[in-house]
DNA sequence: GCTTGACCTCAAGTTGACTTGAATTCGTAG
DNA sequence: CTACGAATTCAAGTCAACTTGAGGTCAAGC
């Protein structure tokens, strides 16, 4: 089977070579070898990159995404994590709806100041206080990415 | 009318003082004066902070949020642009809904591996290449935030 | 009048996800 | 053989959105 070199992968996926190298550095993908200097990738990485793209779209961090590939390399996404993410998306959707309505209100309302408009205030009241979505900043289920050599400056 | 000092705002909203100062620096909020050193805020900022929280939850950058709700509390962009933004939100909502449903489906799907689940494959296919949801990273309609003095080292 | 504690300023650090730049190394076409 | 172009390495830069830390200040309570 023929390996694809990095430029080919980049062209097919739209993911720039620098990013591919970065992903490799943090062990999200791996290359099978070199032709001269050029990295050669197995066709599998195309699928893997789709998966990564999907994960990013869903709002997972690279660390979380890395955790979703079993040590054997094939995806093994825990179902409860998917549900949790779906719930988070749900909350995000609610927030977006509120924001959308707020925006439309602001665009149309003739009140001198929106802050004084009762319906605007009512709109916002629902979302005040607690964070609308849980932003995983340093999560517990977050696998540690390979750190590379970045930061070990001399 | 009584002004609230920064600690009070922080306690009521959960937004830490350092963040409030930062927001003020980038002109997302403003304080009305000082009592001694302490910043004093009008009660309006509570509402404003809700708005900001909402925008953040929706994935907007602070710059975009600033553009939606001008420094004085009302939008500094024309109505049609606001409507355009709302429409954009609507599209984003649809994308998120699709993603959410797909996530749930995959979570519940009994296929032995996610890769074998047809709807998962379809999802992958649709998300390959172009982003499933619009991620505002460095948009064109993004208002420039006041830069503060950060970086002007000497 | 002194202490305390909450605030202040300003510079610099942090994190995640990359990108950029300089100096270098190949494989191939001419 | 030489040039070229595409890839390489490694260090460092970028960006957003904050946080942290050092050193300073003020109002209130004892």
């Amino acid at each position: 089977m023929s390996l694809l070199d990095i430029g080919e992968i980049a062209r097919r996926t739209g993911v720039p070579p620098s990013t591919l190298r970065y992903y490799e550095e943090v062990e999200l993908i791996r290359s099978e070898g070199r032709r001269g200097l050029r990295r050669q990738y197995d066709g599998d990485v195309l699928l893997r990159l789709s998966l990564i793209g999907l994960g990013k779209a869903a709002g997972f961090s690279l660390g979380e995404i890395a955790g979703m590939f079993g040590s054997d390399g094939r995806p093994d996404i825990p179902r409860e994590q998917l549900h949790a993410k779906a719930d988070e998306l749900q909350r995000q959707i609610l927030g977006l709806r509120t924001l959308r309505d707020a925006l439309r209100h602001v665009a149309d309302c003739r009140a001198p100041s929106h802050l004084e408009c009762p319906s605007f205030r009512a709109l916002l009241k629902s979302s005040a206080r607690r964070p609308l979505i849980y932003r995983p900043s340093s999560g517990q289920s977050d696998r540690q990415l390979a750190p590379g050599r970045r930061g070990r400056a001399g």
Side-chain angles (χ1 to χ4, degrees), chain A:
Chain A
M1 119 269 298
S2 65
L3 299 174
L4 306 162
D5 86 30
I6 192 172
E8 182 64 14
I9 301 281
R11 203 165 50 259
R12 287 204 204 176
T13 62
V15 178
S18 65
T19 303
L20 292 172
R21 280 190 287 268
Y22 173 70
Y23 282 175
E24 191 171 334
E25 186 185 358
V26 299
E27 292 173 12
L28 261 175
I29 60 175
R30 42 188 266 270
S31 54
E32 297 307 313
R34 302 287 178 108
R35 189 170 48 118
L37 286 178
R38 288 165 173 72
R39 284 166 174 80
Q40 302 292 114
Y41 292 98
D42 190 293
D44 285 355
V45 301
L46 295 173
L47 178 58
R48 218 176 151 85
L49 286 170
S50 298
L51 239 16
I52 293 171
L54 187 57
K56 288 189 17 162
F60 289 101
S61 70
L62 295 186
E64 288 175 305
I65 293 169
M68 291 175 187
F69 295 102
S71 44
D72 55 344
R74 85 186 82 244
D76 172 30
I77 314 169
R79 297 177 191 277
E80 44 177 272
Q81 203 173 350
L82 285 179
H83 270 305
K85 204 48 124 178
D87 292 348
E88 191 179 309
L89 284 177
Q90 177 56 33
R91 280 186 299 260
Q92 196 171 347
I93 288 168
L94 290 181
L96 280 173
R97 280 221 283 261
T98 306
L99 187 60
R100 179 200 58 193
D101 293 344
L103 239 36
R104 290 215 207 282
H105 173 100
V106 164
D108 296 334
C109 182
R110 306 247 115 264
S113 162
H114 300 293
L115 293 179
E116 287 160 33
C117 172
S119 81
F120 188 66
R121 301 184 74 97
L123 201 57
L124 290 181
K125 190 153 264 173
S126 64
S127 68
R129 213 73 186 78
R130 72 225 158 277
L132 224 28
I133 60 176
Y134 169 65
R135 288 229 168 265
S137 51
S138 49
Q140 57 282 29
S141 61
D142 192 357
R143 184 176 116 177
Q144 198 74 345
L145 281 180
R149 74 284 163 273
R150 313 155 23 240
R152 305 205 29 79

